[in-house]
Amino acid sequence: MKVILLAGGFGTRLSEYTENIPKPMIRVGDDPILIHIMRHYAEYGHKEFFLALGYKARVIKEFFLNYKELNSDFLIDMNKGNIKFYNSPKDNWVVSLIDTGIDTLTGGRLKRMKQYINNETFMLTYGDGVGNVNIDKLINYHKSHGKLVTMTAVRPAARFGELTIVDDKITSFKEKPQLEKGWINGGFFVMEPEFLDYIDDDNTMLERTPIEKATSEGQVMAYKHDKFWHCMDTKRDHELLEKLWSSGDRPWTKK
């Protein structure tokens, strides 16, 4: 199944990094977070990717153009100009890099990918969130209900300690727990091509009118994922992912 990644935003809340590179190219460990996301899908056999680019699209295009060279050892015959590669990466993916416009919003980026979908069911996610979502179960759930959209719902960790208060008395305190109530959009969508008809143009934000309208018509179902998920939205988020990677605790890399 084809996988579309929204990788064109400005990443303004990570301006420490995104002045020079787009948000999906911020590294966690040795690789951009974009590669971590793609490897997760590839673990489940989905290796055909369509990247919806915008801000600093050239950086991502150049990265993939040089991917083999940058991730291999090699010998150069300076006389003949031949190159022999050693230990080349085994990421046997097919990657399409599509510039969807510098100012296009998320819905518009998706709409511009219509010609590449070929009227098939597809997957969609953002270029800044990782999780150990079971892709096989997600797809099977989508197929079971027959609606246009399946959205993965997650419960992230609270940014601050969570209090339970009864009559002004604190009855429980948990330091940065996973939220017990309230689910949020975690990305990792499965969609039918007909959903694209809900998107008007480049100025449409996916998460507003299209999703809201489809939801009001009963066309959006939630796949609940209560295990690891983390969005790299701020410098603090990036530092947490780096800490997990350095410690060897890398839950998004495992099925």
Side-chain angles (χ1 to χ4, degrees):
M1 191 178 291
K2 294 174 180 176
V3 183
I4 296 174
L5 290 104
L6 298 175
F10 288 96
T12 52
R13 281 181 284 187
L14 276 165
S15 58
E16 301 93 335
Y17 309 106
T18 56
E19 182 178 348
N20 298 312
I21 61 173
K23 187 176 180 183
M25 294 303 293
I26 298 174
R27 290 181 178 266
V28 176
D30 296 329
D31 297 298
I33 191 169
L34 179 65
I35 295 299
H36 290 275
I37 298 166
M38 294 168 74
R39 283 182 180 151
H40 181 67
Y41 280 99
E43 286 178 353
Y44 288 88
H46 303 283
K47 302 178 182 181
E48 188 175 3
F49 299 99
F50 294 81
L51 309 187
L53 309 179
Y55 177 66
K56 294 192 179 296
R58 184 169 179 170
V59 174
I60 300 179
K61 288 180 176 181
E62 289 177 346
F63 174 81
F64 280 98
L65 280 172
N66 299 304
Y67 187 78
K68 183 176 181 179
E69 288 80 359
L70 293 173
N71 291 279
S72 302
D73 298 324
F74 51 84
L75 174 152
I76 300 178
D77 186 327
M78 302 292 286
N79 184 40
K80 298 180 180 179
N82 297 331
I83 301 176
K84 180 179 180 180
F85 290 97
Y86 308 116
N87 305 316
S88 294
K90 295 180 171 55
D91 299 317
N92 56 336
W93 307 338
V94 177
V95 184
S96 296
L97 298 108
I98 313 299
D99 194 334
T100 55
I102 187 69
D103 295 315
T104 307
L105 300 182
T106 49
R109 294 195 193 284
L110 176 56
K111 184 83 168 186
R112 288 200 186 197
M113 307 303 279
K114 183 175 182 178
Q115 62 181 304
Y116 306 103
I117 295 169
N118 294 330
N119 206 36
E120 300 170 1
T121 305
F122 63 94
M123 289 184 284
L124 170 74
T125 197
Y126 304 102
D128 62 359
V130 291
N132 57 353
V133 177
N134 188 309
I135 302 298
D136 290 341
K137 290 183 178 180
L138 171 62
I139 292 172
N140 289 337
Y141 176 71
H142 179 78
K143 291 178 178 178
S144 73
H145 59 62
K147 305 297 183 181
L148 294 182
V149 177
T150 297
M151 174 194 294
T152 297
V154 299
R155 292 188 295 189
R159 291 189 179 273
F160 305 98
E162 184 177 60
L163 305 177
T164 301
I165 302 174
V166 178
D167 295 330
D168 295 331
K169 180 180 179 181
I170 297 175
T171 59
S172 114
F173 172 75
K174 297 179 182 178
E175 176 61 14
K176 298 178 184 177
Q178 184 181 54
L179 295 175
E180 294 182 358
K181 296 181 180 180
W183 296 83
I184 68 168
N185 169 20
F188 293 93
F189 295 91
V190 185
M191 295 179 167
E192 297 301 320
E194 292 82 2
F195 173 71
L196 299 183
D197 294 336
Y198 288 75
I199 302 171
D200 290 331
D201 53 32
D202 286 355
N203 298 314
T204 304
M205 185 173 289
L206 171 69
E207 301 79 8
R208 293 190 180 170
T209 302
I211 290 290
E212 290 173 356
K213 182 179 179 183
T215 298
S216 70
E217 296 176 3
Q219 289 294 332
V220 181
M221 300 292 287
Y223 175 79
K224 293 181 178 179
H225 175 71
D226 57 6
K227 297 180 181 178
F228 180 83
W229 176 88
H230 196 80
C231 179
M232 191 180 68
D233 212 26
T234 65
K235 187 173 184 288
R236 184 177 182 180
D237 294 327
H238 177 248
E239 289 171 349
L240 174 59
L241 291 175
E242 276 287 358
K243 184 178 180 180
L244 289 172
W245 183 265
S246 298
S247 71
D249 180 16
R250 306 164 183 177
W252 65 90
T253 66
K254 307 167 188 174
K255 286 189 182 182

